């Protein structure tokens, strides 16, 4: 099953709505709270990065029997140095965005921390694509 | 500690979700940055914040937070109150500044996330 939502750059009114719908749907179909929380956080950070740093894009999930894949892609400026962008504290968010509580430079590190695998691809002047894997807990409960 | 104890200690006005005042709270975190909040909070926690933004409520919902306390007499706008009701995230307002609010709750026995054995990832990547 695939869920996919459009995300508009600089639309702070709608921002976060896609991640919320994703998380709610996961809970409704019986995904455990911890997994839904991890997916929600990854999707939210990806969605906010599109709102803040890109022009427009999509965020969504593919729900598979053993894992959930979160994906996000955008048309935007792209990321020149992905290793640098991944560093805690690195942010190019402008001052007005920082006043809104963003720009800690923690979004990408959070996405890495809450997922089991994170792949970022980006082309400067074109856009950025992100895929994160969140494994569902095994039945034994480990 | 329950949400209603927090409201009492902080002399806070509860603005939404009064039906959740009996919920247990195990830890608290003070943050003014959304990504900090996503990194350092979990369910059964509350956040003390001076940042009045709907995104605080959205982020709170992502981490299954038990509540949000706006400090230093800051009043959430109607859109924030509406969102908190829709998402079921209790919010309250205290006149105490962030530092005093945190001190009062800590002195009353409410720990920060580090002390909390179930904190994500343990304490090694604490701020
Ligand atoms: N989708 C994107 N398009 C273009 N640049 C991006 C994108 N996502 C991230 N970046 C770049 O990577 C940097 C780090 O991103 P990260 O999400 O870690 O921090 P932030 O968004 O600046 O702040 P925070 O997420 O803590 O609010 C950003 O400041 C920006 O320069
Ligand atoms: Mg970010």
């Amino acid at each position: 099953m695939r869920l996919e939502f459009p995300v508009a750059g600089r639309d702070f009114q709608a921002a976060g709505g896609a991640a919320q719908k994703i998380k709610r749907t996961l809970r409704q179909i019986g995904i455990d709270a911890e997994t839904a929380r991890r997916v929600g956080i990854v999707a939210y950070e990806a969605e906010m990065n599109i709102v803040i740093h890109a022009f427009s894009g999509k965020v969504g999930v593919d729900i598979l029997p053993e894992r959930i894949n979160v994906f996000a892609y955008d048309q935007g400026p792209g990321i020149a140095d992905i290793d640098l962008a991944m560093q805690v504290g690195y942010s190019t968010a402008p001052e007005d965005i920082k006043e809104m509580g963003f720009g800690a430079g923690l979004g990408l590190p959070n996405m890495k921390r809450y997922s089991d695998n994170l792949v970022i691809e980006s082309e400067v002047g074109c856009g950025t694509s992100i895929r994160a894997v969140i494994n569902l807990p095994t039945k034994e409960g480990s | 500690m329950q949400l209603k104890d927090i409201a009492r200690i902080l002399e806070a006005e509860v603005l939404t979700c009064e039906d959740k005042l009996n919920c247990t709270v195990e830890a608290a975190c003070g943050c003014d940055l959304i990504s900090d909040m996503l990194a350092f909070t979990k369910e059964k926690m509350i956040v003390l914040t001076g940042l009045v933004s709907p995104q605080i409520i959205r982020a709170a919902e992502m981490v299954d937070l038990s509540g949000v306390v706006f400090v230093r007499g800051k009043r959430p706008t109607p859109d924030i109150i509406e969102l908190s009701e829709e998402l079921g995230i209790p919010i309250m307002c205290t006149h105490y500044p962030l530092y005093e609010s945190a001190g009062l709750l800590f002195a009353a026995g409410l720990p920060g996330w580090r002390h909390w054995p179930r904190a994500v990832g343990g304490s090694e990547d604490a701020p």
Side-chain angles (χ1 to χ4, degrees), chain A residues 12 15-16 19-20 23 37 40-41 44-45 99-101 106 110 113-114, chain B residues 32-36 38-39 41-42 51 55 58 61-64 87 120 125:
Chain A
F12 284 92
Q20 189 227 324
K23 189 182 175 204
R37 198 175 70 89
I41 292 171
Y44 179 87
E45 292 284 19
E99 273 163 26
M100 299 172 80
L106 256 183
N110 269 352
R113 174 172 158 196
Y114 287 108
Chain B
D32 283 350
L33 288 166
I34 302 289
S35 288
D36 270 354
L38 295 174
T41 66
K42 236 196 145 173
L51 180 71
Q55 293 304 327
R58 291 228 177 265
E61 206 254 341
M62 286 304 134
V63 286
D64 302 318
L87 301 181
V120 180
D125 52 359

PDB file of all heavy atoms in Angstrom, chain A residues 12 15-16 19-20 23 37 40-41 44-45 99-101 106 110 113-114, chain B residues 32-36 38-39 41-42 51 55 58 61-64 87 120 125:
ATOM      1  N   PHE A  12       3.522  27.191   5.513  1.00  0.00           N
ATOM      2  CA  PHE A  12       3.633  26.773   6.910  1.00  0.00           C
ATOM      3  C   PHE A  12       2.288  26.461   7.543  1.00  0.00           C
ATOM      4  O   PHE A  12       2.217  25.904   8.630  1.00  0.00           O
ATOM      5  CB  PHE A  12       4.394  27.826   7.726  1.00  0.00           C
ATOM      6  CG  PHE A  12       5.864  27.769   7.454  1.00  0.00           C
ATOM      7  CD1 PHE A  12       6.443  28.558   6.473  1.00  0.00           C
ATOM      8  CD2 PHE A  12       6.671  26.879   8.149  1.00  0.00           C
ATOM      9  CE1 PHE A  12       7.790  28.488   6.201  1.00  0.00           C
ATOM     10  CE2 PHE A  12       8.021  26.805   7.886  1.00  0.00           C
ATOM     11  CZ  PHE A  12       8.588  27.606   6.912  1.00  0.00           C
ATOM     12  N   ALA A  15       1.990  22.779   6.517  1.00  0.00           N
ATOM     13  CA  ALA A  15       3.200  22.019   6.841  1.00  0.00           C
ATOM     14  C   ALA A  15       2.986  21.060   8.006  1.00  0.00           C
ATOM     15  O   ALA A  15       2.427  21.434   9.028  1.00  0.00           O
ATOM     16  CB  ALA A  15       4.332  22.987   7.171  1.00  0.00           C
ATOM     17  N   GLY A  16       3.427  19.842   7.828  1.00  0.00           N
ATOM     18  CA  GLY A  16       3.275  18.835   8.871  1.00  0.00           C
ATOM     19  C   GLY A  16       2.017  18.003   8.692  1.00  0.00           C
ATOM     20  O   GLY A  16       1.866  16.955   9.326  1.00  0.00           O
ATOM     21  N   ALA A  19       2.696  14.346   7.180  1.00  0.00           N
ATOM     22  CA  ALA A  19       3.244  13.409   8.174  1.00  0.00           C
ATOM     23  C   ALA A  19       2.161  12.973   9.151  1.00  0.00           C
ATOM     24  O   ALA A  19       2.099  11.806   9.554  1.00  0.00           O
ATOM     25  CB  ALA A  19       4.407  14.057   8.922  1.00  0.00           C
ATOM     26  N   GLN A  20       1.296  13.914   9.495  1.00  0.00           N
ATOM     27  CA  GLN A  20       0.223  13.575  10.428  1.00  0.00           C
ATOM     28  C   GLN A  20      -0.744  12.551   9.821  1.00  0.00           C
ATOM     29  O   GLN A  20      -1.135  11.589  10.477  1.00  0.00           O
ATOM     30  CB  GLN A  20      -0.534  14.840  10.834  1.00  0.00           C
ATOM     31  CG  GLN A  20      -1.517  14.608  11.962  1.00  0.00           C
ATOM     32  CD  GLN A  20      -2.869  15.232  11.687  1.00  0.00           C
ATOM     33  OE1 GLN A  20      -2.948  16.310  11.096  1.00  0.00           O
ATOM     34  NE2 GLN A  20      -3.912  14.558  12.088  1.00  0.00           N
ATOM     35  N   LYS A  23       0.983   9.145   9.740  1.00  0.00           N
ATOM     36  CA  LYS A  23       1.033   8.502  11.056  1.00  0.00           C
ATOM     37  C   LYS A  23      -0.350   7.988  11.464  1.00  0.00           C
ATOM     38  O   LYS A  23      -0.480   6.870  11.961  1.00  0.00           O
ATOM     39  CB  LYS A  23       1.550   9.496  12.086  1.00  0.00           C
ATOM     40  CG  LYS A  23       1.830   8.821  13.408  1.00  0.00           C
ATOM     41  CD  LYS A  23       2.293   9.786  14.470  1.00  0.00           C
ATOM     42  CE  LYS A  23       2.411   9.029  15.767  1.00  0.00           C
ATOM     43  NZ  LYS A  23       2.313   9.858  16.938  1.00  0.00           N
ATOM     44  N   ARG A  37       5.473   6.137  15.340  1.00  0.00           N
ATOM     45  CA  ARG A  37       6.160   7.327  15.834  1.00  0.00           C
ATOM     46  C   ARG A  37       7.445   7.577  15.038  1.00  0.00           C
ATOM     47  O   ARG A  37       7.730   8.697  14.615  1.00  0.00           O
ATOM     48  CB  ARG A  37       6.497   7.132  17.310  1.00  0.00           C
ATOM     49  CG  ARG A  37       6.821   8.391  18.075  1.00  0.00           C
ATOM     50  CD  ARG A  37       7.011   8.051  19.541  1.00  0.00           C
ATOM     51  NE  ARG A  37       8.227   7.290  19.718  1.00  0.00           N
ATOM     52  CZ  ARG A  37       9.417   7.844  19.937  1.00  0.00           C
ATOM     53  NH1 ARG A  37       9.526   9.146  20.002  1.00  0.00           N
ATOM     54  NH2 ARG A  37      10.477   7.101  20.068  1.00  0.00           N
ATOM     55  N   GLY A  40       6.534   8.683  11.601  1.00  0.00           N
ATOM     56  CA  GLY A  40       6.005  10.047  11.680  1.00  0.00           C
ATOM     57  C   GLY A  40       7.112  11.074  11.765  1.00  0.00           C
ATOM     58  O   GLY A  40       7.092  12.091  11.065  1.00  0.00           O
ATOM     59  N   ILE A  41       8.102  10.813  12.608  1.00  0.00           N
ATOM     60  CA  ILE A  41       9.206  11.759  12.780  1.00  0.00           C
ATOM     61  C   ILE A  41      10.010  11.901  11.483  1.00  0.00           C
ATOM     62  O   ILE A  41      10.318  13.008  11.042  1.00  0.00           O
ATOM     63  CB  ILE A  41      10.120  11.327  13.954  1.00  0.00           C
ATOM     64  CG1 ILE A  41       9.371  11.458  15.278  1.00  0.00           C
ATOM     65  CG2 ILE A  41      11.403  12.171  13.983  1.00  0.00           C
ATOM     66  CD1 ILE A  41      10.098  10.861  16.480  1.00  0.00           C
ATOM     67  N   TYR A  44       7.906  13.728   8.949  1.00  0.00           N
ATOM     68  CA  TYR A  44       7.756  15.139   9.331  1.00  0.00           C
ATOM     69  C   TYR A  44       9.016  15.936   8.990  1.00  0.00           C
ATOM     70  O   TYR A  44       8.943  17.016   8.403  1.00  0.00           O
ATOM     71  CB  TYR A  44       7.441  15.250  10.830  1.00  0.00           C
ATOM     72  CG  TYR A  44       7.302  16.672  11.313  1.00  0.00           C
ATOM     73  CD1 TYR A  44       6.082  17.338  11.235  1.00  0.00           C
ATOM     74  CD2 TYR A  44       8.392  17.362  11.823  1.00  0.00           C
ATOM     75  CE1 TYR A  44       5.957  18.653  11.661  1.00  0.00           C
ATOM     76  CE2 TYR A  44       8.285  18.675  12.250  1.00  0.00           C
ATOM     77  CZ  TYR A  44       7.061  19.313  12.166  1.00  0.00           C
ATOM     78  OH  TYR A  44       6.955  20.622  12.579  1.00  0.00           O
ATOM     79  N   GLU A  45      10.196  15.395   9.345  1.00  0.00           N
ATOM     80  CA  GLU A  45      11.450  16.101   9.048  1.00  0.00           C
ATOM     81  C   GLU A  45      11.639  16.249   7.534  1.00  0.00           C
ATOM     82  O   GLU A  45      12.084  17.300   7.058  1.00  0.00           O
ATOM     83  CB  GLU A  45      12.650  15.364   9.657  1.00  0.00           C
ATOM     84  CG  GLU A  45      12.696  15.384  11.190  1.00  0.00           C
ATOM     85  CD  GLU A  45      13.160  16.713  11.788  1.00  0.00           C
ATOM     86  OE1 GLU A  45      13.124  17.740  11.093  1.00  0.00           O
ATOM     87  OE2 GLU A  45      13.550  16.718  12.970  1.00  0.00           O
ATOM     88  N   GLU A  99      13.355  31.743  13.564  1.00  0.00           N
ATOM     89  CA  GLU A  99      12.426  32.297  14.549  1.00  0.00           C
ATOM     90  C   GLU A  99      11.187  31.420  14.700  1.00  0.00           C
ATOM     91  O   GLU A  99      10.492  31.482  15.704  1.00  0.00           O
ATOM     92  CB  GLU A  99      12.004  33.711  14.150  1.00  0.00           C
ATOM     93  CG  GLU A  99      12.976  34.754  14.659  1.00  0.00           C
ATOM     94  CD  GLU A  99      12.837  36.086  13.949  1.00  0.00           C
ATOM     95  OE1 GLU A  99      11.736  36.372  13.441  1.00  0.00           O
ATOM     96  OE2 GLU A  99      13.834  36.829  13.907  1.00  0.00           O
ATOM     97  N   MET A 100      10.919  30.586  13.701  1.00  0.00           N
ATOM     98  CA  MET A 100       9.763  29.684  13.777  1.00  0.00           C
ATOM     99  C   MET A 100      10.119  28.364  14.442  1.00  0.00           C
ATOM    100  O   MET A 100       9.286  27.461  14.515  1.00  0.00           O
ATOM    101  CB  MET A 100       9.220  29.428  12.377  1.00  0.00           C
ATOM    102  CG  MET A 100       8.735  30.693  11.694  1.00  0.00           C
ATOM    103  SD  MET A 100       8.320  30.403   9.971  1.00  0.00           S
ATOM    104  CE  MET A 100       6.706  29.677  10.166  1.00  0.00           C
ATOM    105  N   GLY A 101      11.343  28.230  14.907  1.00  0.00           N
ATOM    106  CA  GLY A 101      11.717  27.012  15.635  1.00  0.00           C
ATOM    107  C   GLY A 101      12.418  25.969  14.788  1.00  0.00           C
ATOM    108  O   GLY A 101      12.656  24.848  15.233  1.00  0.00           O
ATOM    109  N   LEU A 106      19.215  19.575  12.745  1.00  0.00           N
ATOM    110  CA  LEU A 106      19.016  18.260  13.366  1.00  0.00           C
ATOM    111  C   LEU A 106      18.057  17.376  12.581  1.00  0.00           C
ATOM    112  O   LEU A 106      17.854  16.224  12.925  1.00  0.00           O
ATOM    113  CB  LEU A 106      18.428  18.455  14.772  1.00  0.00           C
ATOM    114  CG  LEU A 106      19.346  18.279  15.977  1.00  0.00           C
ATOM    115  CD1 LEU A 106      18.526  18.439  17.247  1.00  0.00           C
ATOM    116  CD2 LEU A 106      20.008  16.921  15.953  1.00  0.00           C
ATOM    117  N   ASN A 110      18.168  13.453  12.699  1.00  0.00           N
ATOM    118  CA  ASN A 110      16.994  12.779  13.284  1.00  0.00           C
ATOM    119  C   ASN A 110      16.485  11.681  12.358  1.00  0.00           C
ATOM    120  O   ASN A 110      16.109  10.587  12.796  1.00  0.00           O
ATOM    121  CB  ASN A 110      15.856  13.784  13.506  1.00  0.00           C
ATOM    122  CG  ASN A 110      15.895  14.416  14.887  1.00  0.00           C
ATOM    123  OD1 ASN A 110      16.688  14.004  15.727  1.00  0.00           O
ATOM    124  ND2 ASN A 110      15.051  15.407  15.101  1.00  0.00           N
ATOM    125  N   ARG A 113      18.693   8.750  12.631  1.00  0.00           N
ATOM    126  CA  ARG A 113      18.588   8.093  13.924  1.00  0.00           C
ATOM    127  C   ARG A 113      17.306   7.264  14.062  1.00  0.00           C
ATOM    128  O   ARG A 113      17.306   6.192  14.655  1.00  0.00           O
ATOM    129  CB  ARG A 113      18.635   9.177  14.989  1.00  0.00           C
ATOM    130  CG  ARG A 113      18.398   8.695  16.385  1.00  0.00           C
ATOM    131  CD  ARG A 113      18.682   9.842  17.326  1.00  0.00           C
ATOM    132  NE  ARG A 113      18.009   9.629  18.582  1.00  0.00           N
ATOM    133  CZ  ARG A 113      17.813  10.592  19.478  1.00  0.00           C
ATOM    134  NH1 ARG A 113      18.235  11.795  19.232  1.00  0.00           N
ATOM    135  NH2 ARG A 113      17.201  10.325  20.596  1.00  0.00           N
ATOM    136  N   TYR A 114      16.212   7.758  13.506  1.00  0.00           N
ATOM    137  CA  TYR A 114      14.945   7.056  13.682  1.00  0.00           C
ATOM    138  C   TYR A 114      14.649   6.039  12.581  1.00  0.00           C
ATOM    139  O   TYR A 114      13.631   5.377  12.610  1.00  0.00           O
ATOM    140  CB  TYR A 114      13.789   8.058  13.792  1.00  0.00           C
ATOM    141  CG  TYR A 114      13.758   8.786  15.110  1.00  0.00           C
ATOM    142  CD1 TYR A 114      14.097  10.119  15.218  1.00  0.00           C
ATOM    143  CD2 TYR A 114      13.388   8.107  16.292  1.00  0.00           C
ATOM    144  CE1 TYR A 114      14.085  10.784  16.440  1.00  0.00           C
ATOM    145  CE2 TYR A 114      13.368   8.761  17.506  1.00  0.00           C
ATOM    146  CZ  TYR A 114      13.716  10.094  17.572  1.00  0.00           C
ATOM    147  OH  TYR A 114      13.699  10.753  18.788  1.00  0.00           O
TER     148      TYR A 114
ATOM    149  N   ASP B  32      12.905  25.069  22.441  1.00  0.00           N
ATOM    150  CA  ASP B  32      12.366  26.094  21.560  1.00  0.00           C
ATOM    151  C   ASP B  32      12.655  25.766  20.108  1.00  0.00           C
ATOM    152  O   ASP B  32      12.452  26.596  19.230  1.00  0.00           O
ATOM    153  CB  ASP B  32      12.968  27.461  21.906  1.00  0.00           C
ATOM    154  CG  ASP B  32      12.326  28.045  23.164  1.00  0.00           C
ATOM    155  OD1 ASP B  32      11.314  27.485  23.621  1.00  0.00           O
ATOM    156  OD2 ASP B  32      12.830  29.048  23.674  1.00  0.00           O
ATOM    157  N   LEU B  33      13.171  24.567  19.856  1.00  0.00           N
ATOM    158  CA  LEU B  33      13.468  24.158  18.485  1.00  0.00           C
ATOM    159  C   LEU B  33      12.724  22.851  18.183  1.00  0.00           C
ATOM    160  O   LEU B  33      12.758  21.914  18.973  1.00  0.00           O
ATOM    161  CB  LEU B  33      14.974  23.940  18.313  1.00  0.00           C
ATOM    162  CG  LEU B  33      15.823  25.214  18.302  1.00  0.00           C
ATOM    163  CD1 LEU B  33      17.287  24.881  18.473  1.00  0.00           C
ATOM    164  CD2 LEU B  33      15.595  25.993  17.019  1.00  0.00           C
ATOM    165  N   ILE B  34      12.073  22.828  17.023  1.00  0.00           N
ATOM    166  CA  ILE B  34      11.236  21.685  16.673  1.00  0.00           C
ATOM    167  C   ILE B  34      12.053  20.386  16.587  1.00  0.00           C
ATOM    168  O   ILE B  34      11.667  19.352  17.132  1.00  0.00           O
ATOM    169  CB  ILE B  34      10.522  21.939  15.321  1.00  0.00           C
ATOM    170  CG1 ILE B  34       9.673  23.218  15.395  1.00  0.00           C
ATOM    171  CG2 ILE B  34       9.689  20.739  14.918  1.00  0.00           C
ATOM    172  CD1 ILE B  34       8.448  23.142  16.247  1.00  0.00           C
ATOM    173  N   SER B  35      13.205  20.460  15.919  1.00  0.00           N
ATOM    174  CA  SER B  35      13.999  19.237  15.754  1.00  0.00           C
ATOM    175  C   SER B  35      14.558  18.731  17.079  1.00  0.00           C
ATOM    176  O   SER B  35      14.716  17.524  17.264  1.00  0.00           O
ATOM    177  CB  SER B  35      15.142  19.455  14.762  1.00  0.00           C
ATOM    178  OG  SER B  35      14.623  19.542  13.450  1.00  0.00           O
ATOM    179  N   ASP B  36      14.850  19.651  18.017  1.00  0.00           N
ATOM    180  CA  ASP B  36      15.263  19.239  19.362  1.00  0.00           C
ATOM    181  C   ASP B  36      14.155  18.429  20.012  1.00  0.00           C
ATOM    182  O   ASP B  36      14.387  17.409  20.652  1.00  0.00           O
ATOM    183  CB  ASP B  36      15.516  20.480  20.239  1.00  0.00           C
ATOM    184  CG  ASP B  36      16.950  20.942  20.165  1.00  0.00           C
ATOM    185  OD1 ASP B  36      17.763  20.246  19.530  1.00  0.00           O
ATOM    186  OD2 ASP B  36      17.256  21.999  20.743  1.00  0.00           O
ATOM    187  N   LEU B  38      11.794  16.723  18.581  1.00  0.00           N
ATOM    188  CA  LEU B  38      11.645  15.403  17.967  1.00  0.00           C
ATOM    189  C   LEU B  38      12.784  14.477  18.400  1.00  0.00           C
ATOM    190  O   LEU B  38      12.614  13.272  18.474  1.00  0.00           O
ATOM    191  CB  LEU B  38      11.622  15.522  16.444  1.00  0.00           C
ATOM    192  CG  LEU B  38      10.419  16.280  15.876  1.00  0.00           C
ATOM    193  CD1 LEU B  38      10.564  16.468  14.381  1.00  0.00           C
ATOM    194  CD2 LEU B  38       9.114  15.565  16.179  1.00  0.00           C
ATOM    195  N   ALA B  39      13.953  15.062  18.688  1.00  0.00           N
ATOM    196  CA  ALA B  39      15.106  14.247  19.061  1.00  0.00           C
ATOM    197  C   ALA B  39      15.056  13.822  20.524  1.00  0.00           C
ATOM    198  O   ALA B  39      15.518  12.738  20.870  1.00  0.00           O
ATOM    199  CB  ALA B  39      16.401  15.017  18.796  1.00  0.00           C
ATOM    200  N   THR B  41      12.325  13.927  22.953  1.00  0.00           N
ATOM    201  CA  THR B  41      11.113  13.660  23.731  1.00  0.00           C
ATOM    202  C   THR B  41      10.437  12.387  23.234  1.00  0.00           C
ATOM    203  O   THR B  41      10.735  11.876  22.156  1.00  0.00           O
ATOM    204  CB  THR B  41      10.104  14.825  23.660  1.00  0.00           C
ATOM    205  OG1 THR B  41       9.617  14.943  22.327  1.00  0.00           O
ATOM    206  CG2 THR B  41      10.724  16.134  24.092  1.00  0.00           C
ATOM    207  N   LYS B  42       9.536  11.903  24.042  1.00  0.00           N
ATOM    208  CA  LYS B  42       8.848  10.650  23.778  1.00  0.00           C
ATOM    209  C   LYS B  42       7.484  10.683  24.416  1.00  0.00           C
ATOM    210  O   LYS B  42       7.117  11.692  25.024  1.00  0.00           O
ATOM    211  CB  LYS B  42       9.672   9.516  24.412  1.00  0.00           C
ATOM    212  CG  LYS B  42      10.073   8.418  23.441  1.00  0.00           C
ATOM    213  CD  LYS B  42      10.531   7.171  24.159  1.00  0.00           C
ATOM    214  CE  LYS B  42      10.084   5.986  23.355  1.00  0.00           C
ATOM    215  NZ  LYS B  42      10.587   4.727  23.820  1.00  0.00           N
ATOM    216  N   LEU B  51       8.154  28.903  22.466  1.00  0.00           N
ATOM    217  CA  LEU B  51       7.876  29.035  21.033  1.00  0.00           C
ATOM    218  C   LEU B  51       6.390  28.819  20.775  1.00  0.00           C
ATOM    219  O   LEU B  51       5.882  27.710  20.915  1.00  0.00           O
ATOM    220  CB  LEU B  51       8.696  28.018  20.242  1.00  0.00           C
ATOM    221  CG  LEU B  51       8.506  28.050  18.728  1.00  0.00           C
ATOM    222  CD1 LEU B  51       9.129  29.298  18.133  1.00  0.00           C
ATOM    223  CD2 LEU B  51       9.092  26.810  18.085  1.00  0.00           C
ATOM    224  N   GLN B  55       3.429  24.463  14.793  1.00  0.00           N
ATOM    225  CA  GLN B  55       4.344  23.352  14.543  1.00  0.00           C
ATOM    226  C   GLN B  55       4.752  22.647  15.838  1.00  0.00           C
ATOM    227  O   GLN B  55       5.108  21.466  15.816  1.00  0.00           O
ATOM    228  CB  GLN B  55       5.574  23.822  13.760  1.00  0.00           C
ATOM    229  CG  GLN B  55       5.258  24.266  12.334  1.00  0.00           C
ATOM    230  CD  GLN B  55       4.561  23.193  11.502  1.00  0.00           C
ATOM    231  OE1 GLN B  55       4.809  22.010  11.683  1.00  0.00           O
ATOM    232  NE2 GLN B  55       3.677  23.590  10.615  1.00  0.00           N
ATOM    233  N   ARG B  58       2.077  20.083  16.114  1.00  0.00           N
ATOM    234  CA  ARG B  58       2.271  19.030  15.101  1.00  0.00           C
ATOM    235  C   ARG B  58       3.413  18.092  15.520  1.00  0.00           C
ATOM    236  O   ARG B  58       3.302  16.880  15.422  1.00  0.00           O
ATOM    237  CB  ARG B  58       2.603  19.660  13.744  1.00  0.00           C
ATOM    238  CG  ARG B  58       1.449  20.403  13.113  1.00  0.00           C
ATOM    239  CD  ARG B  58       1.304  19.987  11.647  1.00  0.00           C
ATOM    240  NE  ARG B  58       0.159  20.627  11.009  1.00  0.00           N
ATOM    241  CZ  ARG B  58      -1.030  20.066  10.908  1.00  0.00           C
ATOM    242  NH1 ARG B  58      -1.242  18.856  11.411  1.00  0.00           N
ATOM    243  NH2 ARG B  58      -2.016  20.695  10.310  1.00  0.00           N
ATOM    244  N   GLU B  61       2.468  15.854  18.367  1.00  0.00           N
ATOM    245  CA  GLU B  61       1.649  14.713  17.958  1.00  0.00           C
ATOM    246  C   GLU B  61       2.526  13.608  17.371  1.00  0.00           C
ATOM    247  O   GLU B  61       2.276  12.425  17.581  1.00  0.00           O
ATOM    248  CB  GLU B  61       0.606  15.181  16.948  1.00  0.00           C
ATOM    249  CG  GLU B  61      -0.635  14.328  16.915  1.00  0.00           C
ATOM    250  CD  GLU B  61      -0.711  13.443  15.699  1.00  0.00           C
ATOM    251  OE1 GLU B  61       0.001  13.740  14.721  1.00  0.00           O
ATOM    252  OE2 GLU B  61      -1.462  12.453  15.746  1.00  0.00           O
ATOM    253  N   MET B  62       3.579  13.985  16.659  1.00  0.00           N
ATOM    254  CA  MET B  62       4.487  12.985  16.065  1.00  0.00           C
ATOM    255  C   MET B  62       5.155  12.128  17.128  1.00  0.00           C
ATOM    256  O   MET B  62       5.409  10.951  16.915  1.00  0.00           O
ATOM    257  CB  MET B  62       5.578  13.675  15.232  1.00  0.00           C
ATOM    258  CG  MET B  62       5.093  14.211  13.918  1.00  0.00           C
ATOM    259  SD  MET B  62       4.316  12.941  12.933  1.00  0.00           S
ATOM    260  CE  MET B  62       2.882  13.823  12.409  1.00  0.00           C
ATOM    261  N   VAL B  63       5.498  12.728  18.276  1.00  0.00           N
ATOM    262  CA  VAL B  63       6.205  11.965  19.316  1.00  0.00           C
ATOM    263  C   VAL B  63       5.263  11.457  20.416  1.00  0.00           C
ATOM    264  O   VAL B  63       5.720  10.966  21.434  1.00  0.00           O
ATOM    265  CB  VAL B  63       7.358  12.778  19.947  1.00  0.00           C
ATOM    266  CG1 VAL B  63       8.529  12.880  18.998  1.00  0.00           C
ATOM    267  CG2 VAL B  63       6.915  14.157  20.364  1.00  0.00           C
ATOM    268  N   ASP B  64       3.949  11.581  20.202  1.00  0.00           N
ATOM    269  CA  ASP B  64       2.962  11.122  21.191  1.00  0.00           C
ATOM    270  C   ASP B  64       3.143  11.796  22.549  1.00  0.00           C
ATOM    271  O   ASP B  64       3.008  11.158  23.595  1.00  0.00           O
ATOM    272  CB  ASP B  64       3.023   9.594  21.366  1.00  0.00           C
ATOM    273  CG  ASP B  64       2.791   8.848  20.068  1.00  0.00           C
ATOM    274  OD1 ASP B  64       1.903   9.260  19.315  1.00  0.00           O
ATOM    275  OD2 ASP B  64       3.493   7.854  19.817  1.00  0.00           O
ATOM    276  N   LEU B  87      -5.949  17.341  17.522  1.00  0.00           N
ATOM    277  CA  LEU B  87      -4.960  16.263  17.650  1.00  0.00           C
ATOM    278  C   LEU B  87      -4.921  15.664  19.054  1.00  0.00           C
ATOM    279  O   LEU B  87      -4.211  14.691  19.303  1.00  0.00           O
ATOM    280  CB  LEU B  87      -3.561  16.771  17.262  1.00  0.00           C
ATOM    281  CG  LEU B  87      -3.419  17.332  15.844  1.00  0.00           C
ATOM    282  CD1 LEU B  87      -1.992  17.780  15.578  1.00  0.00           C
ATOM    283  CD2 LEU B  87      -3.844  16.305  14.799  1.00  0.00           C
ATOM    284  N   VAL B 120      15.006   7.271  24.138  1.00  0.00           N
ATOM    285  CA  VAL B 120      15.489   6.721  22.867  1.00  0.00           C
ATOM    286  C   VAL B 120      17.007   6.822  22.795  1.00  0.00           C
ATOM    287  O   VAL B 120      17.575   7.870  23.035  1.00  0.00           O
ATOM    288  CB  VAL B 120      14.899   7.511  21.678  1.00  0.00           C
ATOM    289  CG1 VAL B 120      15.398   6.943  20.365  1.00  0.00           C
ATOM    290  CG2 VAL B 120      13.395   7.487  21.743  1.00  0.00           C
ATOM    291  N   ASP B 125      23.897  10.281  23.478  1.00  0.00           N
ATOM    292  CA  ASP B 125      23.834  11.402  22.538  1.00  0.00           C
ATOM    293  C   ASP B 125      22.971  12.547  23.087  1.00  0.00           C
ATOM    294  O   ASP B 125      22.296  13.239  22.372  1.00  0.00           O
ATOM    295  CB  ASP B 125      23.332  10.942  21.163  1.00  0.00           C
ATOM    296  CG  ASP B 125      22.048  10.159  21.249  1.00  0.00           C
ATOM    297  OD1 ASP B 125      21.556   9.957  22.382  1.00  0.00           O
ATOM    298  OD2 ASP B 125      21.536   9.746  20.214  1.00  0.00           O
TER     299      ASP B 125
END
